[in-house]
């Protein structure tokens, strides 16, 4: 299990928290967490969704190119965030 140097929590705990923050409208806080885990496939997927929510399609598509998902896979970003969360919790 990889632990975050900043929080001491596992990266999956950090990313679940980021999803929850995004779902509650705290985009900036969620974005900071995603940035802190750059290179992790799920963090990069989350990063893509966050930029989709922000309305920055070009930046969002950049992050989608780094993962096994596409911009068009989900119409509703909240549903996509739920899918990211369920990838950790089953």
């Amino acid at each position: 299990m990889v632990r975050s140097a900043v929080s001491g929590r596992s990266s999956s705990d950090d990313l679940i928290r980021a999803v929850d923050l995004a779902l509650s409208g705290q985009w900036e806080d969620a974005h900071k967490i995603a940035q802190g885990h750059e290179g992790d496939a799920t963090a990069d997927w989350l990063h893509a969704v966050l930029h989709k929510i922000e309305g920055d399609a070009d930046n969002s598509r950049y992050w989608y190119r780094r993962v096994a998902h596409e911009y068009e896979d989900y119409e509703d970003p909240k549903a996509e965030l739920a899918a990211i969360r369920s990838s950790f919790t089953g």
Side-chain angles (χ1 to χ4, degrees):
M1 176 183 309
V2 177
R3 295 215 172 266
S4 168
V6 175
S7 70
R9 294 186 299 262
S10 72
S11 60
S12 60
D13 288 344
D14 278 349
L15 295 173
I16 290 168
R17 182 168 182 272
V19 168
D20 291 343
L21 288 166
L23 286 167
S24 70
Q26 297 178 60
W27 184 94
E28 224 172 273
D29 293 331
H31 187 250
K32 285 178 188 175
I33 293 170
Q35 284 179 312
H37 294 282
E38 184 176 338
D40 174 279
T42 307
D44 291 350
W45 181 20
L46 173 59
H47 205 154
V49 177
L50 291 170
H51 285 292
K52 183 191 282 188
I53 292 167
E54 179 191 29
D56 186 350
D58 289 340
N59 201 352
S60 180
R61 289 177 191 282
Y62 165 82
W63 288 100
Y64 277 108
R65 286 191 297 273
R66 297 179 61 152
V67 297
H69 302 277
E70 298 195 22
Y71 187 88
E72 295 80 10
D73 286 349
Y74 291 84
E75 284 187 38
D76 178 14
K78 287 185 178 184
E80 192 165 7
L81 289 169
I84 292 170
R85 195 177 201 296
S86 73
S87 74
F88 291 110
T89 61

